[in-house]
Amino acid sequence: MPDHDVIVVGGGHNGLTAGAYLARAGLDVAVLEASDEVGGGVVTEEVTLPGFRHDLHAIAHVFVQLNPLIRNDELGLLARHGLEYVFPDPAIAVAFPDGDHIAFYRDPGRTAETIATISPVDAQNYLRFHKFADGLLDMLVDGMFQPPLPVGELFALLGQTEPGREMTRLLMMSYLDVIDEWFEHPKIKAALARWVSELICAPEEGGTGAFLLAMVPTMHRYGVGFPVGGSGALSMALARAFTDLGGTVRTGVPVDRFLFDGDRVSGVRLGTGEEITASRAVVANLNIRQIPEMVDHRFGPEWDAKALRGKRTAFSCLVGHLALSEAPEFAAGDEVTRAGIQEFALPLPELRQAFDGLKYGTPVIDMPSAVTASVWDPTRAPDGKHTLYLLGYAPMDLDGPGWDERKEEIFDEIFATFCKLTTNMDATKVLSRSVKSPLDAARFNSSWPGGDASHLGQQLHQYLGNRPMPGMGHRLPADGFFLVGASTHPGGGANCGARAAVPTILSDLGIDPAPVLRPA
């Protein structure tokens, strides 16, 4: 007799998302996680000093606010399982070394007022762009957390209306191309490009125009959320929902192989040799590049080649987690200090050169991002003390000596830049720190080769219905076998994107998804 109806391999937040919905459908579901805790990249730990809670990877929760899982509270995370978000306003400030800045408030008019201090013309352009993009947001959202249409069908559908035709054109462009069409002032262009780059894609990459279209209206309509207690609070709420629905979580159990009975997946084998069987389905919350070896290449060389050919994300991050004796105050002024996220930009030519340098192994020292979450979430640090998340863009493959030899030295340079942008920060304010490189990220999670938490870049050729390969969606080529997580639509980030796979999985199992995908 099989051990479970469904096995989910990988207890990151996407594995927990899929598991919770399947358990809500009445299935006996087990989530198997290789590490000692669930959550994957959506975790919060005390990596400096006791009482200082740091988000190790994902920190800002943006597109999850669009997800019906949160919008409609379909799993009761908000109502029953303790998840609570705070939404700083302004959510983001982008500042230049000379003190010029843009503050992104929930109110687009107030945002435009900050743009007007640099360019009155672009303040009006921003309001025009927001109106245009906001009109397209529902079209984008409708497809984000549902099974993806094949790209040909999507384009045919979009081609039936003028807004859809315009969206198709913009989807194929780089987001810097879109910025160039709508805005005039070099600083406004640089600030917007710097902001969108937080999605870990370079401004001149083709097929990324959707991100500017999505980020502007999303931020104004929903804000940028930070879970109270840390990013890991989302994973913990998902785990509570899953177990309350009867699900089983096992940690410290790395899966070595998938098992098959003819053309049907039948279970998994652990590294210890233990076999666990599933009668209905197996869901892999893994990088698609892991699948060929884990199925002993049973899907054939052509499929393997497609699984392995994906273009990885353009760059990664060097992140410092710091325990501070006081909160930073920024030289650009109180409006920047009050923002949820502080991002620093260079003038447009230097910004473009910095992103080019990442291609050749050169880290970016002069454009840090900072989040002092303890300012508006005091649960993250002892009274009077603060946490700092300080990030610099970094190549996965460093030019010269490797990350283990150079990460502290390079982070010192990023920290020095950060201090110059404040009025009160220096090394004496740091009580403790922990620096994590792309190599550390790869060691942290076996699904992140090279430190690529998104598994694949998010250019159009491997996005929407092309992710991870055209026509695949969330089905792997065996009965009852599915893939969720960052390799699949809608891509990486703390977005609970596995919700998009649930209709496919349940329909294939002969279960009506509608009652499962309703408000709790």
Side-chain angles (χ1 to χ4, degrees), residues 301-382:
E302 183 176 341
W303 192 91
D304 285 4
K306 291 179 180 179
L308 299 173
R309 73 185 177 186
K311 181 180 179 181
R312 68 183 188 180
T313 306
F315 54 90
S316 186
C317 302
L318 181 66
V319 183
H321 307 287
L322 286 74
L324 300 179
S325 60
E326 61 185 73
E329 297 177 3
F330 291 92
D334 179 64
E335 191 168 47
V336 173
T337 298
R338 288 187 290 106
I341 304 172
Q342 292 83 25
E343 298 171 0
F344 295 91
L346 296 171
L348 193 57
E350 291 92 329
L351 179 141
R352 294 171 70 176
Q353 290 167 357
F355 280 102
D356 282 344
L358 288 164
K359 301 174 187 176
Y360 305 105
T362 304
V364 179
I365 304 303
D366 299 328
M367 294 196 301
S369 301
V371 181
T372 313
S374 50
V375 168
W376 25 264
D377 179 6
T379 69
R380 300 192 188 214

Side-chain angles (χ1 to χ4, degrees), residues 41 56-58 199-201 287 289-290 311-319 389 391-398 403 436-457 486 492-493:
L56 295 192
H57 298 283
L199 294 177
I200 314 299
C201 53
N287 192 315
R289 291 182 176 92
Q290 297 172 278
K311 181 180 179 181
R312 68 183 188 180
T313 306
F315 54 90
S316 186
C317 302
L318 181 66
V319 183
Y389 179 101
L391 173 153
Y393 293 151
M396 296 180 201
D397 302 310
L398 191 62
W403 277 115
K436 301 296 183 182
S437 73
L439 180 57
D440 292 320
R443 291 166 176 156
F444 174 81
N445 192 319
S446 61
S447 292
W448 298 356
D452 187 358
S454 294
H455 299 188
L456 301 166

Side-chain angles (χ1 to χ4, degrees), residues 325-331 418-419 421-429:
S325 60
E326 61 185 73
E329 297 177 3
F330 291 92
F418 166 77
C419 291
L421 297 166
T422 74
T423 61
N424 66 328
M425 285 287 107
D426 58 43
T428 68
K429 307 299 173 61

Side-chain angles (χ1 to χ4, degrees), residues 137-285:
L137 184 61
D138 289 337
M139 197 184 308
L140 287 168
V141 172
D142 284 346
M144 190 174 290
F145 299 104
Q146 294 289 338
L149 286 174
V151 169
E153 290 183 26
L154 174 65
F155 281 5
L157 184 64
L158 292 175
Q160 296 175 20
T161 67
E162 177 55 31
R165 289 189 288 272
E166 181 64 9
M167 181 188 289
T168 301
R169 187 180 73 89
L170 296 177
L171 287 173
M172 294 189 231
M173 298 164 65
S174 75
Y175 64 84
L176 185 57
D177 288 334
V178 180
I179 290 168
D180 280 337
E181 284 196 353
W182 281 85
F183 300 93
E184 297 181 7
H185 196 287
K187 276 190 173 176
I188 304 305
K189 292 181 180 183
L192 289 168
R194 175 66 183 85
W195 174 36
V196 181
S197 73
E198 292 286 344
L199 294 177
I200 314 299
C201 53
E204 296 181 83
E205 286 188 89
T208 59
F211 296 127
L212 183 71
L213 283 177
M215 285 185 73
V216 168
T218 296
M219 192 271 302
H220 290 302
R221 197 184 294 187
Y222 297 99
V224 175
F226 296 84
V228 173
S231 195
L234 172 61
S235 298
M236 293 304 100
L238 285 164
R240 286 192 291 272
F242 175 59
T243 55
D244 280 1
L245 289 163
T248 302
V249 174
R250 290 183 61 182
T251 57
V253 285
V255 170
D256 180 62
R257 288 290 186 274
F258 294 100
L259 306 176
F260 295 86
D261 181 5
D263 292 332
R264 168 167 288 279
V265 67
S266 59
V268 299
R269 188 182 73 206
L270 305 184
T272 60
E274 178 188 355
E275 294 186 355
I276 305 173
T277 54
S279 62
R280 307 291 302 277
V282 173
V283 179
N285 176 31

Side-chain angles (χ1 to χ4, degrees), residues 13-38:
H13 85 292
N14 275 305
L16 293 169
T17 297
Y21 278 111
L22 298 177
R24 194 181 189 203
L27 296 166
D28 171 13
V29 184
V31 169
L32 309 180
E33 169 54 39
S35 67
D36 292 332
E37 64 175 334
V38 295

